[in-house]
Amino acid sequence: CHHCKSRSASAPTDTSKIHYEKFWLYRHCSSVQQRDRQAQKAGQLFSGLLAMNVVFLGSAFISSMIFNQVAITLADVWILLSILKVLCLFWIIYYLLGTSRQPHAVLYRDSHAGAIWIRGSVLLFGMCSILLNVFQIGYSTILIHCKSRVEIVFPSIGILFICTQAYFLWHHSKDCIQVQHNFTRCGLMLTIATNLLLWLLAVTNDTLHVEIESQLREVERRFAGKAPSLHPHWCNETTLCTCPNTTICKVFQKGYILLYPFNTEYCLVCCSVLYVMWKNVGRRISHHHVPHTKPKFKLQGVVFGPLLGTAAVIIGACVFMMYQIQATSLAPSRQVFVIYYSYYIVLLPLMSVGAVIGTIIHALEKKELDTLKNPTRSLDVVLLMGAALGQIGMSYFSIVALVATDPRDLLNSLILSYSILLIFQNITQNVFVIDGLHRQRVTPPGKEEDTKEQNSEACSQRRVSVLEVGQEIRKASLSYIYTYSHLSWKRRVLREISFFLVLCNIILWVMPTFGAHPVFENGMERSFYGYSTWFVIVNFGLPLGVFYRMHSVGGLLEVYVTA
């Protein structure tokens, strides 16, 4: 039967198919299993050292470009990253055509890795990154008289790299490769390091771009008599190579600015998927780790969560459009900042209360913790905790600046309240999601016995009568009605809360991704910390905050499905 076949495929008993790892340092170990474990640790260590050295080298190049643009230029950084991309392309092609096609190369596949939402994110952000590179090529081609040819070659290699990597992650993110362990680990770590450097360059390059754009706005305000100027010599640097007054050039320029945030998210998502693949190299999964029934996303049993979440999304979209229209003008009104922060001050406490209630229900439920080894879940926890540090860190910097200046002002009071509530919301949501991810799935009463009977009947392949088929259909219908019409109040509330938080995190992901950055536009923290310092804080914190919201959606969907 299909069930028996899938079980045998996930846990093969023929030890001749297993390729145990070997390493010259541990060739004298007595047992094969001990030599395999030591070789696996050594392979992870050396591949990790390779990635660390590549990241440090690239970081040194990027830092030198920022602080000493004469010795190390942006073109030098692009050449280094192009070389890394080409090396990654060679390894990915070798993996696709060589490693993965060897006999017994992929005996196991991690069912928890490469969820459909994260692979969909890779495709979505990958397509946006490809369009970004197309716009960059078009923009550089129009300005070829004042731009280097490297600015055309680099995005061209980037398109090929994104396409190949997206195909590789879509088809092989679940692989537990059993051959060429060390070479595969080094290839994965090299690809992770390249994506990290691309993310770091995108963040710093975006910092310079937004800084120049904002300085131009300050200069225009100074000439209009509305604000003092800050470093007007920035304007002189940008006038050397300006976009001509043509429609196509404006389209390339605006499209590049609009799609820029998606490139940073693409790099972070790829790093998370590649890390799970790296942890799964040489991993052998027993049949106990393979779920017999895969939960599906269904909307039965939830009413208030979708209604409240949809209302939050609609109101947030209206606030976002209002803010974008007014904040992009030369004189953004104070009222638009008040409306923007007021929306957050209303929404964040609701999200926090929902997360706290969900955590209490988790504690009241009689579900045991799932203690099985799961690299995907471990990475989810690390990413949730690490990405939340971006928003939490920015909030603390804002709190210090506002308390030290004038916290009694209306706008400052709203920003202070927003910062405090944001910290609390991140913490409560992390506790709720992480606790939910570690809860074991509970099979509804009567369903487990039905599943066992169906599996035994299918495997024996016995002949059944028409009357028995009718009884089985009736039994399955009763089980369906019980599952979705007689959910316990605890599980129903968990599903309502999870769905509400999913929609809220979606709108909180959309707003900063598409350009709403009041943390810089309001000018309070910028004047307190200084222009350059606050730009570094914002441009490191904002991408992490956007990634946190996107990753929270995946974790909350997992909690919703398993509730």
Side-chain angles (χ1 to χ4, degrees), residues 28 72 131 153 199 216 220 259 269 303 442-443 456 509 528 530:
H28 299 299
I72 301 294
L131 286 177
V153 175
W199 171 77
L216 287 173
E220 290 172 343
L259 295 172
V269 173
V303 177
V442 175
T443 306
S456 61
W509 169 77
F528 182 83

Side-chain angles (χ1 to χ4, degrees), residues 104-409:
H104 316 306
V106 186
L107 296 175
Y108 313 90
R109 290 177 67 83
D110 187 357
S111 60
H112 298 284
I116 186 64
W117 70 267
I118 197 166
R119 286 187 294 155
S121 301
V122 170
L123 291 184
L124 174 63
F125 296 146
M127 289 187 291
C128 294
S129 299
I130 290 173
L131 286 177
L132 173 73
N133 284 281
V134 170
F135 287 145
Q136 184 177 1
I137 293 172
Y139 183 71
S140 300
T141 303
I142 294 175
L143 301 175
I144 191 65
H145 63 280
C146 60
K147 287 186 176 291
S148 170
R149 297 185 184 275
V150 180
E151 298 189 36
I152 299 178
V153 175
F154 179 72
S156 301
I157 298 176
I159 293 175
L160 184 60
F161 175 72
I162 292 169
C163 294
T164 308
Q165 182 175 243
Y167 176 85
F168 167 66
L169 295 180
W170 179 265
H171 290 282
H172 296 275
S173 59
K174 296 179 180 290
D175 288 1
C176 298
I177 199 73
Q178 301 297 318
V179 297
Q180 299 182 355
H181 305 88
N182 292 329
F183 188 65
T184 302
R185 286 195 185 98
C186 290
L188 287 169
M189 271 297 168
L190 179 64
T191 312
I192 291 174
T194 303
N195 281 280
L196 283 176
L197 291 175
L198 290 172
W199 171 77
L200 182 60
L201 177 64
V203 170
T204 54
N205 202 23
D206 186 46
T207 300
L208 298 175
H209 170 73
V210 177
E211 193 166 343
I212 292 173
E213 185 180 2
S214 182
Q215 293 293 352
L216 287 173
R217 183 180 299 175
E218 293 290 344
V219 172
E220 290 172 343
R221 289 180 182 176
R222 179 175 65 87
F223 285 117
K226 296 179 180 179
S229 80
L230 295 173
H231 308 292
H233 65 272
W234 284 67
C235 186
N236 296 331
E237 297 178 5
T238 60
T239 56
L240 298 177
C241 193
T242 57
C243 188
N245 191 19
T246 57
T247 304
I248 187 66
C249 187
K250 297 296 182 182
V251 169
F252 286 146
Q253 191 178 51
K254 294 299 181 182
Y256 182 83
I257 295 173
L258 178 65
L259 295 172
Y260 202 93
F262 292 99
N263 188 35
T264 59
E265 302 307 314
Y266 173 77
C267 296
L268 291 176
V269 173
C270 288
C271 285
S272 64
V273 180
L274 290 166
Y275 175 80
V276 173
M277 291 185 65
W278 178 76
K279 292 289 290 185
N280 281 332
V281 172
R283 184 185 176 198
R284 289 179 284 276
I285 304 174
S286 64
H287 66 276
H288 300 290
H289 290 75
V290 181
H292 299 293
T293 56
K294 189 174 182 179
K296 297 181 180 180
F297 178 82
K298 295 181 179 180
L299 283 175
Q300 286 92 338
V302 289
V303 177
F304 299 104
L307 289 177
L308 292 175
T310 304
V313 170
I314 294 174
I315 297 173
C318 296
V319 173
F320 169 72
M321 289 186 290
M322 185 186 306
Y323 173 83
Q324 283 298 106
I325 293 172
Q326 297 194 26
T328 52
S329 63
L330 291 179
S333 64
R334 182 184 179 89
Q335 183 182 4
V336 71
F337 290 112
V338 173
I339 295 174
Y340 186 91
Y341 284 109
S342 298
Y343 170 75
Y344 271 87
I345 289 174
V346 174
L347 184 62
L348 291 176
L350 294 177
M351 297 174 66
S352 301
V353 170
V356 170
I357 294 174
T359 305
I360 295 173
I361 293 176
H362 275 152
L364 295 176
E365 276 193 318
K366 295 181 180 179
K367 278 187 181 181
E368 296 190 7
L369 294 177
D370 186 2
T371 57
L372 293 175
K373 184 180 179 182
N374 189 336
T376 305
R377 184 177 59 202
S378 302
L379 179 64
D380 287 339
V381 173
V382 172
L383 290 178
L384 281 173
M385 299 297 293
L389 296 179
Q391 289 184 324
I392 292 175
M394 287 175 55
S395 298
Y396 276 117
F397 277 106
S398 296
I399 290 172
V400 172
L402 294 167
V403 171
T405 52
D406 186 14
R408 291 170 293 182
D409 181 72

Side-chain angles (χ1 to χ4, degrees), residues 8-26:
S8 61
S10 61
T13 56
D14 187 5
T15 56
S16 63
K17 297 180 180 180
I18 300 176
H19 293 255
Y20 289 101
E21 296 192 45
K22 296 179 182 180
F23 200 81
W24 63 273
L25 283 175
Y26 306 104

